[in-house]
DNA sequence: GGATCGATCGGCT
DNA sequence: GCCGATCGATCCG
């Protein structure tokens, strides 16, 4: 499986965040470092968040300086710091002015494994990017990339077309670690792609 | 393998 | 002030 370098079109992202969260599984997340080296992984796990009655979403109480990128048009990046030390990478979805995004929680490393391992302090391959904070560390993603338009020419992070995914290989569950109310905790807005052997390797 | 806990700081009730 | 869309070390079994 080779990484592809062509970004998915804007229309892919300008849809409801639940549709995009599912459609992102199997696509390739590409990170181009300042020195030109490219890192790539296949998206294995996502979670959808959106404004309205979703109390777990950062935009539940309106726009702030931190969550402003969630209100940009689909195809932007939203990155924030959590627990004071870990970064989380989100793909902004839906139309401009509507707060919505998909948290990418895990990837299967495809290329640039040596660089990822170095960024991850020598972790085993299976532990390189099987969690949102670990994935950002492996890919050197931090808040300086928040608000980035991933469809701009030469964007240092973007989503490329991956392999097609069998719907039967997609598992849904409640989102991990979210607060809010009972509705937010119960909604099955987490999407996990099973590995080729049928197991779930994402965290 | 599972449970527990400390780290660490930005954003907001 | 309080508490996270988390991780890794440590302890116990």
């Amino acid at each position: 499986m080779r990484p592809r370098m062509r970004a998915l079109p804007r229309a892919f992202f300008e849809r409801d965040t639940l549709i995009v969260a599912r459609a992102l599984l199997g696509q390739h997340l590409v990170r181009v470092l300042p020195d030109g080296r490219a890192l790539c992984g296949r998206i294995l796990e996502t979670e959808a968040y959106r404004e309205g009655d979703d109390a777990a979403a950062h935009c539940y109480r309106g726009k702030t300086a931190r969550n402003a990128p969630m209100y940009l048009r689909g195809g932007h990046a939203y990155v924030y710091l959590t627990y004071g030390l870990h970064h989380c990478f989100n793909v902004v979805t839906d139309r401009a002015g509507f707060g919505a995004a998909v948290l990418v929680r895990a990837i299967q490393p495809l290329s640039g494994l040596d660089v990822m391992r170095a960024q991850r302090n020598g972790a085993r391959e299976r532990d390189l990017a099987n969690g949102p904070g670990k994935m950002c560390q492996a890919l050197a993603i931090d808040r300086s990339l928040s608000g980035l338009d991933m469809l701009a020419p030469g964007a240092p992070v973007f989503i490329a077309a991956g392999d097609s995914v069998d719907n039967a290989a997609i598992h849904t569950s409640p989102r991990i670690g979210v607060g809010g109310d009972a509705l937010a905790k119960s909604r099955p807005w987490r999407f996990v792609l099973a590995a080729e052997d049928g197991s779930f390797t994402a965290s």
Side-chain angles (χ1 to χ4, degrees), chain A residues 54-139:
Chain A
D54 180 13
H58 283 172
C59 47
Y60 183 56
R61 292 183 175 81
K63 189 191 280 191
T64 65
R66 175 177 66 151
N67 69 24
M70 291 183 77
Y71 293 83
L72 298 172
R73 70 190 300 204
H76 285 76
Y78 168 46
V79 185
Y80 63 90
L81 186 65
T82 190
Y83 293 100
L85 63 165
H86 300 296
H87 294 278
C88 289
F89 168 78
N90 296 253
V91 174
V92 177
T93 58
D94 218 310
R95 66 180 191 275
F98 184 84
V102 172
L103 170 66
V104 179
R105 294 186 54 90
I107 57 171
Q108 171 191 354
L110 293 181
S111 66
L113 294 251
D114 51 340
V115 178
M116 294 188 203
R117 194 172 291 109
Q119 308 257 212
R120 289 275 302 129
N121 203 21
R124 300 181 318 215
E125 179 171 340
R126 59 179 301 143
D127 293 326
L128 285 181
N130 60 337
K134 300 182 215 177
M135 187 192 83
C136 283
Q137 188 179 28
L139 299 180

Side-chain angles (χ1 to χ4, degrees), chain A residues 11 28 33 37 39 43 50 55 76 81 93 97 99 103 106 109 111 118 123 125 133 135 142 144-145 147 158 180 195:
Chain A
H28 292 178
L33 297 175
R37 288 179 296 180
L39 313 177
I43 296 174
R50 71 180 177 200
H76 285 76
L81 186 65
T93 58
L103 170 66
S111 66
E125 179 171 340
M135 187 192 83
D142 62 34
S144 69
L145 296 170
F158 60 91

